[in-house]
Amino acid sequence: MRPRTEIAMTDAATQTDAAIGEVDAHRRILVAAAHRMLGTLAEAEDAVQEAFVRWIRLHPSERAAIANPAGWLMRVTGRICLDTLGSARARRETYVGEWLPEPVPADLSNGDPAEAALAAESVSTALLLVLETLTPAERVAFVLHEVFAVPFGEIAEVLGRSPAACRQLAASARLHVGRRSGAAVPRSRHDEVVAAFAAASATGRLDALVRVLAPDVVLVSDGGGVVSAARRPVRGVDHVARFLLGLARKQPTAAYEPMVTGDGLGFVIRLNGTVAAVVTFATDGERITDVWMMRNPGKLRAWV
């Protein structure tokens, strides 16, 4: 017969394993939600890890009393993201150069469950940039309710406000997102425009590239202060075209690999086999309106 202490230790280990399994079962959806709230995969994973720690620290009887562990984990993750958003805004004020949300591939095959969840429910850079303009409370309310259908009563627990106030926050965010997002371009048309841009870029001719760029096109490059990147947005068709052609001349051995992203067709730029940048686009259905160039190595790990 085993000693009581050994039995107790075995039971505790079993309970811990069960608690870990509960979190792992919901990790994909939690990371997907946190990514929308925070804009980077690293911060999203940190938020979910913190929720995981809080779940494990609960007494087994407390966990057993929670009827909906998935809902509990989502609420806790939302609260952590709300707290993180406040400090993130302060950090971004001192960020070196322009800040862009982390692009995520729409088709990953490396087997990571969190990234697979993000791939299945990928979001565009355009949407994440609009979400950046919301207040932290609006962003959390919008993501939890509009994307993940969390009831306002539960969102109220996250935000520390009444359900009615949370409903107003989500409505305000929805209106703002709709107004800033503009008319949606069909993905097939978006990809056709990007393919035309790629063909024009391959010619190396300024006039060819200018024809596929909107007059008020904007290029934003995020190097995070780690690698060289344009410190300010490049604006206007002539400036953007010359910037892109100049970059191509400086990197004659660069390989441009087409890749499906949350924005549609984009490109992974490799130098000597190493991912140097990911470029995504927005279009008006006829020409390129925005070019987003992610060069920050810390936001490229999903592409390696």
Side-chain angles (χ1 to χ4, degrees):
M1 187 174 184
R2 291 184 299 168
R4 290 184 179 180
T5 54
E6 183 179 338
I7 294 174
M9 291 176 63
T10 301
D11 289 344
T14 300
Q15 291 169 349
T16 299
D17 288 344
I20 293 173
E22 190 70 59
V23 174
D24 284 342
H26 304 295
R27 182 170 178 265
R28 291 168 44 161
I29 196 72
L30 294 173
V31 171
H35 177 251
R36 285 162 172 77
M37 287 186 269
L38 299 176
T40 71
L41 192 56
E43 288 181 318
E45 290 175 335
D46 287 346
V48 173
Q49 180 64 23
E50 176 60 26
F52 164 86
V53 170
R54 295 184 189 185
W55 175 257
I56 295 299
R57 285 177 177 171
L58 291 175
H59 189 274
S61 63
E62 293 177 301
R63 287 197 296 269
I66 296 173
N68 181 9
W72 186 94
L73 288 164
M74 183 64 82
R75 290 194 300 275
V76 171
T77 299
R79 183 68 217 182
I80 294 167
C81 288
L82 181 67
D83 294 340
T84 302
L85 281 170
S87 59
R89 296 210 166 188
R91 290 198 306 275
R92 286 168 196 170
E93 288 179 359
T94 59
Y95 194 82
V96 178
E98 294 293 312
W99 183 93
L100 286 173
E102 181 174 353
V104 177
D107 182 19
L108 290 172
S109 58
N110 62 9
D112 184 275
E115 293 180 355
L118 287 167
E121 301 179 53
S122 58
V123 291
S124 69
T125 301
L127 175 60
L128 290 175
L129 285 171
V130 173
L131 293 180
E132 280 290 311
T133 65
L134 303 176
T135 67
E138 284 177 330
R139 186 168 185 172
V140 171
F142 177 84
V143 171
L144 290 182
H145 183 72
E146 299 296 322
V147 183
F148 295 94
V150 177
F152 285 117
E154 296 184 20
I155 297 175
E157 296 180 34
V158 175
L159 299 181
R161 307 189 186 197
S162 69
C166 293
R167 186 184 299 275
Q168 290 181 337
L169 284 170
S172 173
R174 183 169 58 251
L175 181 65
H176 186 77
V177 169
R179 186 167 55 242
R180 293 289 294 271
S181 297
V185 175
R187 182 59 59 88
S188 59
R189 183 56 189 157
H190 170 280
D191 292 354
E192 289 173 1
V193 174
V194 173
F197 164 84
S201 298
T203 68
R205 289 168 41 205
L206 181 65
D207 61 332
L209 193 53
V210 164
R211 283 196 293 270
V212 297
L213 297 173
D216 56 351
V217 62
V218 178
L219 181 149
V220 178
S221 181
D222 180 344
V226 180
V227 298
S228 62
R231 290 293 184 92
R232 295 181 179 83
V234 181
R235 301 180 183 276
V237 61
D238 188 67
H239 290 132
V240 170
R242 292 182 185 279
F243 178 90
L244 291 170
L245 292 176
L247 188 62
R249 284 193 293 269
K250 291 177 183 178
Q251 302 174 337
T253 61
Y256 294 79
E257 177 184 336
M259 183 69 71
V260 180
T261 73
D263 295 284
L265 179 63
F267 294 93
V268 174
I269 301 177
R270 296 182 186 273
L271 289 173
N272 301 318
T274 300
V275 175
V278 170
V279 187
T280 55
F281 307 87
T283 83
D284 59 8
E286 298 297 331
R287 290 171 292 190
I288 300 291
T289 59
D290 294 272
V291 182
W292 298 299
M293 187 173 293
M294 178 54 68
R295 303 203 66 225
N296 185 345
K299 298 180 186 178
L300 292 174
R301 57 198 184 95
W303 300 87
V304 176

